[in-house]
Amino acid sequence: MSATIPPPPTSNPLRRIATDLRTERRSGRAGRRLPPGPTNFSVSRTRAFARDPLQPLLDCYAQYGPTFTVRILHQASVFMLGPAANHYITLSHPEKFHYREGSMGDLMPLLGDGLLTLDGPPWRRHRRIVLPAFHHERLAGMADTMAAESEQALTGWREGERLDFYAWARRLSLRVAMRALFGLDPDASSRGVDIAAEFERALSFYGRDYFIQALRGPGTPWARMQAARRRLDRVLLGEIARRRGSDEGGGDILSMLLQARDEDDSALSDGQVRDEMMTLLFAGHDTTTSTVSFMFYELARHPDVAARLVEEQDRVLAGRAPTAAELMDALPQLDMVVDEVLRLYPPAWIGPRRAVEEFEFEGHTVPARTMVNYCSWASHRLPDVFADPEAFVPERFSPENRAQLPKGAYVPFGGGSRTCVGMRFGQLEVKVIATAVLQRHRLGLEPGYDLSIRQMPTLSPRHGLPVIVRPRA
């Protein structure tokens, strides 16, 4: 029998605020104290966190230690930073935390009930069904699609041209996700709907200010996001119905989701397949876009590192496209660069949870129902874990250096059973795109460019990544 999925938490901002404040008051009346930290109500702190949470988190770590409380907007949230905290939340005690009632629930109005927003038996069932789609042999087939789309996307680049590399990478990764994951033609307008444009329109809601996201009614970002979701649903549910009616098979993940059966021979419903499609479309392109963009930002600032990558590619590949096996095992310089980029700019930069029960960690008691977060972005920049943490040093991830890292020190994709199911897909795509670009061009930053980072829903350059295309020589 398939596991029953509980109803979604309310998306009404006023009800959520009231519920959170009631929970906190009950905890206070019961004598349960939160770990120390800045817990007064503060609009300026809320805006500071929305603009750049990294430095405030590092400051709190320096002042209060690895466990502290910060009130953001109305809500007092506990942050746990550092290797021990990451290990506790993701590996040793994951049963003490829920995703669905944490901030991941904010994605449900768009994504629905997929792997990012489920807990317990429903999550385990969905993961069992989805996981085979990302086995090595399937990834090898997807690499051909990634390479073909990268080739096409590079057509037309000219020496001296100025372009927004982030926007370019976003279009490319969305095309790859549509083709490799779902067998959809990104050039076709399905049922009068431009899937890529509608998905970007819907996702832009999560990049807005906290206070603007709370607005409801006609003309608000919320209303535009919901309208985009309805148009996307018309396409996705229509495609699901078409394939079920035709018994059409294929090598893409949508076909696999439709055919998959759990241990009790139960299948995913049309709505559940839709939710996993939306979840994978989000995770399958947003994180890749961010990682490959930050990678070329750092390579432009460190030409010596870029030169080592080119030397390795020339030696191993001699100008031809790489195989999936080579991308996974034969390019160690590229592996180290990708790992260091993910240390500095982990796309899924925060792991929001809600405590299922009261627990203790390093001398602090955290009450049940408290919002609890680990933050890979901050943990990866702690000077007592990574020497000179702001520096871009790929050699940190040589096999001998990596072996010396404490457990939980490096968690760009989470950890334990909730490690991102598409991690290898994303890493493979980043390497395919990076190799295609480096075999043809060099990229320089536009003069005067100053990187500013946006946090919602994943880390990305706030104002894009303007670059100048230069010849490879």
Side-chain angles (χ1 to χ4, degrees), residues 245-390:
S246 66
D247 292 327
E248 179 181 319
D252 56 77
I253 292 181
L254 173 55
S255 296
M256 191 217 70
L257 291 176
L258 292 172
Q259 297 163 6
R261 295 294 184 272
D262 200 3
E263 297 165 341
D264 60 358
D265 201 39
S266 62
L268 295 178
S269 68
D270 286 1
Q272 290 170 335
V273 172
R274 175 266 175 212
D275 290 352
E276 290 301 350
M277 287 179 69
M278 286 292 289
T279 298
L280 293 171
L281 191 60
F282 163 66
H285 95 286
D286 210 54
T287 57
T288 296
T289 303
S290 297
T291 302
V292 78
S293 297
F294 287 124
M295 178 179 175
F296 277 94
Y297 168 75
E298 291 293 349
L299 291 179
R301 297 171 69 235
H302 299 87
D304 57 321
V305 177
R308 290 201 296 272
L309 289 186
V310 171
E311 186 280 327
E312 177 180 71
Q313 289 187 353
D314 288 349
R315 175 168 38 82
V316 176
L317 304 176
R320 61 175 172 78
T323 65
E326 287 170 329
L327 289 169
M328 292 177 183
D329 299 315
L331 298 168
Q333 290 290 333
L334 182 58
D335 289 340
M336 289 190 293
V337 167
V338 172
D339 286 342
E340 178 70 343
V341 170
L342 289 168
R343 180 188 71 83
L344 285 168
Y345 312 100
W349 64 280
I350 192 167
R353 308 284 201 275
R354 191 178 288 274
V356 177
E357 58 188 40
E358 182 176 285
F359 68 94
E360 291 189 7
F361 178 76
E362 295 193 350
H364 295 288
T365 299
V366 178
R369 306 291 302 159
T370 300
M371 286 292 294
V372 179
N373 306 272
Y374 76 91
C375 178
S376 53
W377 193 20
S379 291
H380 290 174
R381 294 185 183 235
L382 297 177
D384 49 342
V385 181
F386 293 97
D388 196 9
E390 299 298 319

Side-chain angles (χ1 to χ4, degrees), residues 154 156-166 168 293 296-297 299-301 437-438 440-449 464-473:
L154 285 166
W157 278 26
R158 297 290 181 266
E159 179 182 344
E161 178 184 3
R162 284 170 166 78
L163 61 87
D164 181 350
F165 184 82
Y166 176 76
W168 175 87
S293 297
F296 277 94
Y297 168 75
L299 291 179
R301 297 171 69 235
V437 174
L438 289 169
R440 294 162 180 78
H441 304 286
R442 295 290 175 273
L443 300 182
L445 296 176
E446 191 171 85
Y449 174 74
L465 184 64
V467 300
I468 301 172
V469 179
R470 295 173 176 160
R472 175 186 155 120

